[in-house]
Amino acid sequence: MHAPDAQTLRAHEAGGVPVLPLRLLLRFADAAYERRFVQHYVAFYFRYAQVSLVLGMVLILGDYLVDRIAYGALPANTLRLTTALPVLICGLGYSMLPKARRHWQPMMSSFIVTVAFCLFVILLRIDVAGGAGLKSWVGVLNFTFLEFYCFVILGVQFRYALASGLVILAAFGYALWWHAGLSGPQAAYWSYHVLTLFILAAGIGWWREYLLRKEFVARAALDDSRAAAEQRALQLAHYDEVTGLPNRRLFAQLAAPTLERSSRKGSGCAVLHVEIDRLGGVHDIYGRSQVDTVLAGITQRIRQCIRGGDVAAVSPASDDPSVVARLGDNAFSILIADLDSQERASPVAQRLLAAVAQPIVIDAQPLVLSASIGIAMFPGDAQDLMGLMRCAEQAARAADDAGGAQHKFFDEALDARARDRALLEAELRQAIPAGQLCLHYQPKVDVRSGRIVGAEALVRWQHPQRGLIMPGRFITLAEESGLIVPLTSWVLHAACNSLRCWADAGLRSLPLSVNLPASSLADVRLLDQLDELMQHYGLSPSSLMLELTETMLMHDVASVIDVLDRLRARGFGLSLDDFGTGYSSLSYLKRLPVSELKIDRSFVTDVARGGRDGALAAAVITLGSELGLQVVAEGVETTEQSEFLLGRGCVLQQGFLYSKAVPLAEFEQMLETGTPLRG
Ligand code: C2E
Ligand code: MG
Ligand code: MG
């Protein structure tokens, strides 16, 4: 669609009725806009022209008959039938030709001018023969009819009507003034009438054109904004806004012909799934707009890589030879045609990895990223695009699980793992309402007295066929599938229920720790849910210790601290679990309103041997006590470890040395004695 005349659009945008400058009555300043105008009305004009040509024929026949009745068989009258009528018939015939539409406006004007000349000649002859010719009202009526024919009835544009109207006026004037039988005053008398009728017909024609153009300007502006909106919707539906790359839907459309061609030719293709590692971290540190800049930069590199390579990736729908698409926040998909072996796909993946690894400058700081690339080959791995994309995605996940910054090819084992995962997810969905989850309790011990001072509730899944499943196998799955929300709520309920039962049974009241998933702090319902639980089970918030990991605290620090402050204010205990494995800086730790630090098992394992882990554990214990925090060592398995930690001041310990996590009944026995049943 062409851009409308700037001035008319401005008038439209200013609101109200657009004002048409006078010159627009002759032609829009923008030739393309003028063409649109003509195109828009061409059907309307044509119908007008054809109807008016038929009307012209009827009127000329009528003139002929009237003259014949009044004056008998004047030879000049017959000219009406032999000259004027054929011209109109030719005009009608011409209007039937589809090709005629291109130049029909000047052609129609020429037809009418020719008809006018025929009529002048006829009227002059009629005058000579003694009938009512040019110098009579019959002549003026004929002139009037021709002028109206030009300006209004024929439907040609105003400027053509004006040109032919002026020619007819001039011819009429000439005939009147040089007509032998007319005196000067008579010629002036008839000329006056003819001129006023010309002005009247022209005025009406002008007004008609003005209304049409005014309506067209408004309609065109509306059409343009609708077209722009459609264009935008189309863009949004098919392209990613940040990178300008095709999205998943367009990728499927572009890739389909390439796959079809490959399967016809029997050649191979590869789908590469490129996932940028740790982009979420960049978002947390630099914000959305910087992530977008990073993505745009990476997109450019990927495109260059694919184009600059020795492989030709083909997108039949455009001149751009590569099919690169952005599928999600940090994922790109690339279809490379005519790539039939893993040996040839590997260098492409290497090139992409190197391109992504080039530093990107953000806030004057060089940022180095990496990617995990999964590759699926057609037709070996899958027969259709969806299958290839799924395989490539699985392979990329495997590359990511293996530490990122590498590429992996899809293989059957990956597929089996993915299927198992999908099955497990479906079963977990059923497990929560089916009551297959249970809590095990691991005591937290004060090693000086050997007494239990707390416990950690750890979820287990009692699977009807697979047996007892440990959380390591299903917590991440639950987090990724969103099932973590009902799971956490079940765990909180079960933990509170146990606390209530212990209190009712007169057992010693101990704080019970519950692990919260990464997403929980962002959940606005958490506080309300905890309040309701405390009320429902009649518990004090201090009986619940919420375990959080460092990584979950790194997202949106300000709002996390706000939530933690509110939890602390209510009296809940907050514990920093797996301390040392995340990214928290020590200065950051000071700002967190936590009451407990749990030294991760990975540091505890080697403490007794001294060395780096021992030094780290010792430093964390000192740091924790200086910040006034309770420090708990996790995963204590040997007396050496326990003694080493105790020697450094860590009196609270949890681990297999004291007890594994045990079922409720067993833990209740421990509560009765106050000490763990070693085993
Ligand atoms: P965690 O919170 O750090 O829990 C400690 C894990 O270490 C538990 O594994 C526990 O059984 C194990 N452990 C304790 N002492 C020892 C020891 O001396 N030696 C060894 N080798 N292991 C020890 P578990 O129960 O398999 O839980 C693993 C992780 O799953 C937990 O780590 C926690 O992050 C997560 N998890 C467990 N229950 C829940 C839950 O209800 N909700 C959420 N969101 N996560 C949970
Ligand atoms: Mg824990
Ligand atoms: Mg832990």
Side-chain angles (χ1 to χ4, degrees):
M1 193 147 290
H2 302 288
D5 178 59
Q7 201 172 347
T8 50
L9 259 196
R10 232 176 290 128
H12 181 76
E13 277 161 10
V17 181
V19 183
L20 281 172
L22 265 185
R23 69 179 168 76
L24 281 190
L25 286 174
L26 295 178
R27 187 193 282 274
F28 283 108
D30 180 347
Y33 202 65
E34 180 70 24
R35 261 200 308 281
R36 261 177 81 185
F37 172 68
V38 175
Q39 262 165 16
H40 182 78
Y41 287 108
V42 75
F44 161 79
Y45 276 149
F46 251 76
R47 238 174 291 123
Y48 230 122
Q50 285 167 342
V51 168
S52 57
L53 286 168
V54 173
L55 183 72
M57 286 179 227
V58 172
L59 290 176
I60 282 179
L61 270 174
D63 276 358
Y64 167 78
L65 289 175
V66 170
D67 252 31
R68 199 185 156 90
I69 291 163
Y71 298 99
L74 280 178
N77 192 17
T78 324
L79 285 173
R80 281 194 163 108
L81 301 184
T82 54
T83 57
L85 204 57
V87 176
L88 288 176
I89 291 172
C90 283
L92 192 62
Y94 172 82
S95 76
M96 307 279 183
L97 302 173
K99 266 202 283 184
R101 295 196 171 203
R102 284 187 62 193
H103 307 292
W104 71 280
Q105 300 241 17
M107 282 306 289
M108 280 297 150
S109 308
S110 319
F111 277 123
I112 188 60
V113 168
T114 314
V115 171
F117 275 109
C118 291
L119 285 180
F120 290 140
V121 173
I122 295 161
L123 290 172
L124 285 172
R125 294 262 190 95
I126 286 174
D127 270 344
V128 173
L134 201 60
K135 59 181 180 178
S136 68
W137 281 106
V138 172
V140 174
L141 281 175
N142 266 303
F143 171 82
T144 316
F145 171 65
L146 287 170
E147 288 297 339
F148 269 90
Y149 207 66
C150 261
F151 284 112
V152 187
I153 306 178
L154 196 60
V156 288
Q157 277 185 268
F158 183 75
R159 60 177 191 277
Y160 294 102
L162 187 65
S164 41
L166 281 170
V167 171
I168 295 169
L169 178 67
F172 219 113
Y174 175 84
L176 284 174
W177 286 96
W178 302 103
H179 193 29
L182 284 181
S183 64
Q186 273 178 324
Y189 171 80
W190 291 118
S191 298
Y192 165 75
H193 288 303
V194 165
L195 189 67
T196 47
L197 288 168
F198 170 82
I199 294 169
L200 181 68
I204 293 174
W206 198 333
W207 183 243
R208 186 203 63 165
E209 187 93 350
Y210 173 76
L211 292 182
L212 281 185
R213 282 176 184 256
K214 199 167 82 163
E215 195 230 23
F216 178 73
V217 168
R219 178 193 292 261
L222 204 68
D223 282 354
D224 286 344
S225 67
R226 194 177 302 145
E230 274 169 16
Q231 182 63 34
R232 176 106 185 97
L234 205 70
Q235 179 80 18
L236 285 177
H238 289 99
Y239 291 91
D240 166 51
E241 252 198 305
V242 175
T243 59
L245 287 176
N247 61 11
R248 190 182 287 268
R249 187 187 313 184
L250 185 59
F251 181 63
Q253 282 175 22
L254 294 176
T258 307
L259 286 183
E260 226 177 85
R261 201 180 55 123
S262 292
S263 84
R264 252 199 335 269
K265 277 176 40 189
S267 61
C269 292
V271 169
L272 279 76
H273 184 91
V274 182
E275 245 173 63
I276 310 301
D277 304 328
R278 294 181 295 110
L279 204 61
V282 177
H283 176 263
D284 292 340
I285 298 166
Y286 297 102
R288 186 76 251 168
S289 69
Q290 297 290 37
V291 169
D292 289 352
T293 315
V294 169
L295 282 168
I298 289 177
T299 301
Q300 220 174 358
R301 291 179 192 176
I302 292 180
R303 283 186 131 153
Q304 278 166 1
C305 240
I306 299 300
R307 271 196 214 131
D310 49 355
V311 286
V314 178
S315 157
S318 73
D319 296 337
D320 186 347
S322 56
V323 193
V324 183
R326 183 174 174 215
L327 304 186
D329 259 0
N330 64 339
F332 297 85
S333 205
I334 306 168
L335 173 71
I336 304 179
D338 301 326
L339 199 70
D340 45 16
S341 67
Q342 294 196 348
E343 290 69 39
R344 290 188 60 208
S346 262
V348 182
Q350 293 293 356
R351 248 202 330 265
L352 286 167
L353 287 171
V356 174
Q358 293 289 315
I360 297 176
V361 178
I362 289 203
D363 289 349
Q365 300 278 329
L367 176 76
V368 178
L369 289 171
S370 62
S372 303
I373 302 181
I375 308 171
M377 303 299 296
F378 173 82
D381 294 334
Q383 311 300 314
D384 58 15
L385 184 74
M386 287 306 128
L388 285 168
M389 285 169 76
R390 190 176 52 81
C391 294
E393 221 170 306
Q394 272 177 32
R397 207 173 304 134
D400 184 41
D401 290 346
Q406 57 187 290
H407 72 275
K408 272 202 189 304
F409 286 95
F410 172 78
D411 65 39
E412 288 304 320
L414 276 180
D415 199 31
R417 266 208 296 283
R419 277 177 212 284
D420 192 46
R421 221 178 110 90
L423 183 66
L424 203 67
E425 183 187 322
E427 288 176 346
L428 182 60
R429 206 171 286 278
Q430 305 295 325
I432 305 171
Q436 292 171 10
L437 297 184
C438 63
L439 286 184
H440 281 195
Y441 302 84
Q442 186 177 36
K444 211 176 342 179
V445 178
D446 183 331
V447 286
R448 289 169 304 190
S449 60
R451 293 188 67 79
I452 300 175
V453 290
E456 178 171 5
L458 294 158
V459 71
R460 303 292 181 253
W461 176 7
Q462 188 62 57
H463 193 283
Q465 284 89 36
R466 301 178 198 238
L468 194 70
I469 305 182
M470 301 304 268
R473 270 197 73 195
F474 62 88
I475 289 292
T476 315
L477 185 73
E479 280 174 343
E480 284 169 5
S481 60
L483 287 171
I484 194 69
V485 177
L487 187 143
T488 305
S489 126
W490 181 89
V491 168
L492 284 168
H493 264 281
C496 291
N497 190 39
S498 298
L499 281 168
R500 181 71 264 153
C501 293
W502 298 336
D504 291 347
L507 294 170
R508 226 156 45 88
S509 74
L510 299 172
L512 183 60
S513 300
V514 174
N515 293 283
L516 285 187
S519 54
S520 59
L521 288 185
D523 189 346
V524 285
R525 290 163 304 179
L526 178 72
L527 286 160
D528 291 343
Q529 193 187 4
L530 287 169
D531 287 344
E532 274 168 32
L533 280 172
M534 293 302 108
Q535 221 172 9
H536 180 75
Y537 290 99
L539 297 172
S540 138
S542 61
S543 58
L544 211 58
M545 175 78 85
L546 304 171
E547 291 199 4
L548 317 157
T549 55
E550 289 168 86
T551 24
M552 67 196 268
L553 304 178
M554 290 302 291
H555 298 276
D556 196 359
V557 179
S559 71
V560 160
I561 291 182
D562 180 51
V563 177
L564 296 186
D565 278 336
R566 286 155 75 181
L567 288 168
R568 273 309 276 153
R570 280 167 165 77
F572 291 104
L574 296 177
S575 170
L576 203 47
D577 201 358
D578 304 342
F579 189 76
T581 55
Y583 308 102
S584 24
S585 68
L586 298 180
S587 61
Y588 171 66
L589 186 64
K590 266 200 312 205
R591 295 169 57 202
L592 294 175
V594 291
S595 43
E596 182 184 87
L597 269 192
K598 290 184 92 171
I599 308 174
D600 189 65
R601 188 161 62 87
S602 56
F603 297 103
V604 173
T605 310
D606 285 335
V607 285
R609 285 194 221 128
R612 204 163 155 264
D613 282 344
L616 265 174
V620 171
I621 296 165
T622 315
L623 173 81
S625 357
E626 274 173 15
L627 289 174
L629 304 176
Q630 169 173 302
V631 180
V632 180
E634 293 189 289
V636 182
E637 291 180 344
T638 63
T639 34
E640 291 80 46
Q641 289 167 351
S642 171
E643 276 161 15
F644 177 90
L645 291 161
L646 185 62
R648 300 296 179 284
C650 180
V651 294
L652 299 181
Q653 299 181 6
Q654 181 182 336
F656 292 175
L657 177 66
Y658 309 101
S659 168
K660 293 193 170 180
V662 293
L664 181 65
E666 215 172 305
F667 184 68
E668 282 176 352
Q669 274 182 307
M670 291 188 201
L671 279 183
E672 276 169 18
T673 60
T675 54
L677 313 166
R678 291 195 183 222

